[in-house]
């Protein structure tokens, strides 16, 4: 079955979620090409509160109409649309997923880790955790990565010097 046919056969809530995730992944991907990471991270965190207008968190009446989604379902949507968006790296997916989770009230942590791979080269990977569980980006052996301190905490430590 083609991707378009699968999409058309989905329930309306899943279609809306996929469209929202697709727009956000494209936005984040373009932002990472055009803006410094720190700026794009702040922008994507802001998207977690004001959103793109599709199912955005808002007044109680809007929240009552929006379906409750499990974090895994949000990660599924980001993963699915990322297959169709060129260069949707783990960082792109993690930032988009974190924003979508934030829009639905889930406290999500962006994690970035580094590991030494073959020939001594460094490899980085990004994922998102909710309640200490990797929601997206867990397709790799995360135990091999040395997790960098959260950016916000690193900035507070620098300011305290």
């Amino acid at each position: 079955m083609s991707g378009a046919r699968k999409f058309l056969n989905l329930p309306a809530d899943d279609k809306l979620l996929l469209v929202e995730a697709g727009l956000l992944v494209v936005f984040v991907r373009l932002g990472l090409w055009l803006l410094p990471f720190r700026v794009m991270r702040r922008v994507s965190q802001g998207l977690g509160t004001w959103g793109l207008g599709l199912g955005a968190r808002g007044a109680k009446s809007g929240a009552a109409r929006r379906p409750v989604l499990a974090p895994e379902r949000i990660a599924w949507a980001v993963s699915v649309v990322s297959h169709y968006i060129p260069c949707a790296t783990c960082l792109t997916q993690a930032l988009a997923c974190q924003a979508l989770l934030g829009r639905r009230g889930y406290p999500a942590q962006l994690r970035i880790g580094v590991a030494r791979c073959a020939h001594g080269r460094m490899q980085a990977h990004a994922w998102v955790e909710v309640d200490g569980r990797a929601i997206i980006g867990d397709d790799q052996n995360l135990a091999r990565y040395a997790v960098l301190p959260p950016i916000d905490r690193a900035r507070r430590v620098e300011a305290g010097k």
Side-chain angles (χ1 to χ4, degrees), residues 16-17 20 48 54-57 66-69 74 99-106:
L16 183 61
L17 178 60
E20 183 180 9
L54 295 171
R57 183 170 36 187
R66 196 182 38 192
V68 176
L69 295 171
I74 294 166
L100 284 172
L101 289 164
R103 294 181 67 206
R104 285 167 173 80
Y106 292 106

Side-chain angles (χ1 to χ4, degrees), residues 28-110:
V28 169
R29 179 64 262 163
L30 291 173
L32 286 171
W33 275 329
L34 300 172
L35 301 171
F37 171 72
R38 286 185 187 253
V39 172
M40 191 57 218
R41 181 154 189 275
R42 271 187 258 127
V43 168
S44 69
Q45 285 177 326
L47 291 173
T49 57
W50 54 268
L52 296 170
L54 295 171
R57 183 170 36 187
K60 290 181 183 178
S61 62
R65 287 185 302 227
R66 196 182 38 192
V68 176
L69 295 171
E72 293 80 11
R73 194 66 179 163
I74 294 166
W76 163 82
V78 171
S79 294
V80 167
V81 299
S82 294
H83 291 293
Y84 299 97
I85 298 169
C87 300
T89 62
C90 59
L91 182 59
T92 301
Q93 293 176 50
L95 287 170
C97 189
Q98 183 185 32
L100 284 172
L101 289 164
R103 294 181 67 206
R104 285 167 173 80
Y106 292 106
Q109 290 289 322
L110 173 70

Side-chain angles (χ1 to χ4, degrees), residues 12 71 115 122 125 136 156-157:
M122 297 296 285
H125 183 58
I136 195 164
R156 284 192 301 259
V157 169

Side-chain angles (χ1 to χ4, degrees), residues 6-17:
K6 285 181 186 178
F7 178 80
L8 293 173
N9 288 330
L10 289 173
D13 290 342
D14 283 349
K15 288 178 192 171
L16 183 61
L17 178 60

